[in-house]
Amino acid sequence: MVGFLPPAAPSRPLSRGFDVILAPTLGALQTLSYVYTEAWWLQMLCIGLLGWRAAVVTPRRAAALGWCFGTAWLAVGTWWLFISMHRYGGLPAWMAAAAVLALSGFLSLYLSLAMLLFARWRRGRVAADALLFAALWLLAELARGVIFTGFPWVAAGYAHVDGPLAAAAPWIGVYGIGALAAGLSAGVSFSLLQQRRRWLGAAEALAAIGLGAALSAIGPQFTRPTGTLTVTLLQGNIPQEQKFQAEHQGPALQWHVETMLQAQSDLVIAPETAVPFLPQQMPEDFWPSLRARFASGRTHALFGVPMGNEQAGYTNSAVGFAPGREGEYHYDKHHLVPFGEFIPTGFPWFTELMNIPLGDFNRGALNAPSFVVKGERVAPNICYEDLFGEELAARFADASSAPTMFANLSNIGWFGDTIAVEQHLDISRMRALEFQRPMLRATNTGATVIIDHRGDVTKGLKPFTRGVLEGTVQGRSGLTPFAWWASRWSLWPPAILALVIAAGFAWRARRRHAL
């Protein structure tokens, strides 16, 4: 019948062998789109081929396809975790590799379940099945990004930061872009399985992508300019194996402090743990003299430092000094890294195997106040906190105090000279697109850059070099649609919409089988 897909048939031995090779190949191949973001189409091709196979095999086979695709996707996209565990943590190579593979396989169970349900509930109509595929894909990505503190690294939407679908970022955010890409890709595959009007779905998808490209060029601006700041961003390039060794901490601290003191800009930012000591571990006059240096003049300073004590607990923090301000600004990291900043229940045995200075930090407030610099509200986030756009959105609940720009203080030297640097940069660029806010990145090893509200890098340093980046940044005020709904309801709107769609298909499938 026109407009229907052929019913799923049991896989033949040849097709099972084909799928064993195809699914992980597609999952691994599409990760290239996260490094070479101009190849956004490659990810859509790989997802489309996954959708094609899931539409013509049994539910059990579809689940296996989803698991193989997802495991390869995450293992190749986050293989650099191996470096932190093996090179810096001292785990045997086989154990570190097994840990990366186990994490990837576990987190791919969500996609496996999504493909199983798709094969079981699909109706055989191109548009309907594309909608179901997109909804289940979205639920799988939300589950991976939220459950067990969340690990949404290499979420599908990040592959489109330079593609036409990026125009949807201020509306639906990175998860919405991922669902849109999945639905369009699968819809093209499903349309090609039709006996007639085979190319109609492909034409519709191309039209949607073309519309996205046009909106990227002339899309609406939900925000407006505020003031302009001159900024100085530091990149110390401290080797990770030296960062927490006592004999190297003094020179590293000296470089960061001396360079901050030489800054003549409105704002100077040093990376995460640029000051690697607790304030009480410093010489008695260090902290007061540093505060006094920035108490007058024009320069504001923001830098990473651990804070706290044994009684109150410790925090991974950013401290700010400002002219004319009594005391200091204080931001505590909210979203902590499992195994790095806290030990998950039941896993002390694993962390004890690694020779990494792990912390057990307290969690900071979700909706933290901004650091005010010449009327601009600079909202810090530390390390991979910029991976959680829904948490940054909480700071926009009150438009009158909403950030006018973001500042990311990072140290991903744990992962060596790998694709993690480019991936983290694109994550920050996606946040700039979602909120139409600039992002300043001061990192230990890179990428130290200035990103404007359009997600474009206007100036940057070469990664893995020591340097000082000077430039200007323009703040923005106003709310994007994403900032408006995510600040109120977090990720519940897309989750509820996807659940309603999936429930509707489940009900229809049960009713069909009952007849």
Side-chain angles (χ1 to χ4, degrees):
M1 180 177 287
V2 177
F4 281 75
L5 302 179
S11 298
R12 298 176 181 177
L14 179 62
S15 66
R16 285 200 295 268
F18 176 72
D19 287 339
V20 166
I21 298 173
L22 179 68
T25 299
L26 293 175
L29 184 63
Q30 57 107 33
T31 60
L32 290 173
S33 300
Y34 296 91
V35 181
Y36 307 104
T37 49
E38 63 275 10
W40 51 268
W41 53 269
L42 177 62
Q43 187 215 45
M44 297 186 71
L45 174 64
C46 293
I47 294 176
L49 290 172
L50 173 66
W52 158 60
R53 291 304 298 158
V56 296
V57 298
T58 63
R60 180 178 296 181
R61 180 61 55 186
L65 284 168
W67 186 83
C68 291
F69 182 98
T71 300
W73 172 10
L74 293 176
V76 174
T78 63
W79 70 268
W80 34 262
L81 292 170
F82 170 89
I83 293 177
S84 63
M85 290 184 284
H86 174 58
R87 181 188 301 174
Y88 301 122
L91 278 184
W94 70 267
M95 188 178 293
V100 173
L101 190 61
L103 176 66
S104 302
F106 175 75
L107 293 176
S108 296
L109 292 175
Y110 303 122
L111 186 59
S112 176
L113 178 60
M115 293 301 101
L116 182 148
L117 296 177
F118 169 75
R120 187 170 287 173
W121 294 344
R122 71 185 189 90
R123 294 176 56 190
R125 295 182 180 274
V126 171
D129 286 356
L131 178 64
L132 174 62
F133 190 92
L136 292 172
W137 184 280
L138 175 59
L139 289 173
E141 288 222 285
L142 288 173
R144 177 162 70 88
V146 173
I147 297 175
F148 302 121
T149 81
F151 188 64
W153 205 282
V154 293
Y158 291 116
H160 298 274
V161 69
D162 285 317
L165 298 186
W171 296 88
I172 57 178
V174 68
Y175 291 113
I177 292 175
L180 184 59
L184 290 173
S185 304
V188 171
S189 292
F190 301 157
S191 69
L192 295 179
L193 290 172
Q194 292 187 98
Q195 297 301 314
R196 301 179 185 178
R197 302 174 67 186
R198 178 169 291 178
W199 297 100
L200 181 60
E204 292 172 347
L206 289 174
I209 292 171
L211 177 61
L215 288 176
S216 295
I218 60 172
Q221 292 297 312
F222 299 100
T223 61
R224 56 191 178 277
T226 53
T228 299
L229 298 180
T230 58
V231 296
T232 303
L233 310 178
L234 309 190
Q235 181 173 287
N237 195 36
I238 311 300
Q240 195 57 43
E241 59 269 21
Q242 298 179 8
K243 189 165 180 65
F244 295 101
Q245 294 178 358
E247 64 269 26
H248 297 290
Q249 286 178 321
L253 173 63
Q254 183 179 3
W255 183 84
H256 282 108
V257 171
E258 289 181 351
T259 309
M260 283 196 297
L261 294 176
Q262 293 167 6
Q264 300 297 314
S265 58
D266 297 319
L267 173 64
V268 57
I269 306 178
E272 178 185 13
T273 59
V275 177
F277 303 101
L278 292 164
Q280 58 268 31
Q281 295 174 321
M282 303 287 190
E284 187 174 343
D285 63 340
F286 175 84
W287 205 254
S289 63
L290 188 61
R291 183 190 298 115
R293 163 60 180 83
F294 292 101
S296 59
R298 58 175 290 193
T299 303
H300 301 63
L302 185 67
F303 55 92
V305 57
M307 299 291 286
N309 55 57
E310 187 174 355
Q311 291 73 35
Y314 300 96
T315 56
N316 186 358
S317 302
V319 165
F321 292 142
R325 177 180 180 135
E326 293 186 7
E328 64 242 16
Y329 168 83
H330 194 179
Y331 170 79
D332 297 330
K333 186 178 181 183
H334 170 76
H335 202 116
L336 304 177
V337 179
F339 303 105
E341 294 170 323
F342 76 96
I343 302 173
T345 302
F347 283 91
W349 63 270
F350 181 73
T351 57
E352 289 171 1
L353 294 173
M354 292 188 290
N355 185 28
I356 290 178
L358 303 174
D360 191 11
F361 291 112
N362 292 339
R363 194 180 301 273
L366 175 62
N367 187 5
S370 298
F371 181 46
V372 179
V373 181
K374 293 182 62 178
E376 296 301 312
R377 295 183 292 273
V378 182
N381 53 88
I382 297 176
C383 190
Y384 85 151
E385 280 191 304
D386 63 343
L387 190 58
F388 301 90
E390 68 278 8
E391 294 182 357
L392 298 187
R395 307 184 195 188
F396 291 81
D398 181 359
S400 64
S401 61
T404 59
M405 62 183 71
F406 291 113
N408 179 260
L409 288 66
S410 286
N411 171 35
I412 57 172
W414 292 108
F415 311 123
D417 187 359
T418 66
I419 58 175
V421 173
E422 288 295 327
Q423 289 173 340
H424 199 190
L425 171 59
D426 289 337
I427 288 167
S428 290
R429 294 179 60 205
M430 181 60 73
R431 298 291 86 79
L433 287 167
E434 288 174 344
F435 296 100
Q436 290 188 354
R437 292 293 196 279
M439 175 80 80
L440 304 170
R441 302 191 79 243
T443 71
N444 179 32
T445 56
T448 297
V449 298
I450 299 171
I451 304 170
D452 68 14
H453 70 285
R454 294 178 292 267
D456 295 327
V457 175
T458 60
K459 204 169 185 180
L461 294 176
K462 182 180 179 181
F464 302 99
T465 60
R466 175 169 289 186
V468 177
L469 178 65
E470 296 179 331
T472 60
V473 60
Q474 184 182 73
R476 308 283 296 189
S477 64
L479 293 181
T480 63
F482 173 79
W484 184 86
W485 62 258
S487 65
R488 287 160 172 78
W489 305 300
S490 188
L491 294 174
W492 282 109
I496 291 173
L497 177 61
L499 284 169
V500 169
I501 292 171
F505 277 87
W507 179 78
R508 290 291 298 268
R510 178 174 294 184
R511 185 181 178 190
R512 184 170 64 246
H513 289 306
L515 295 177

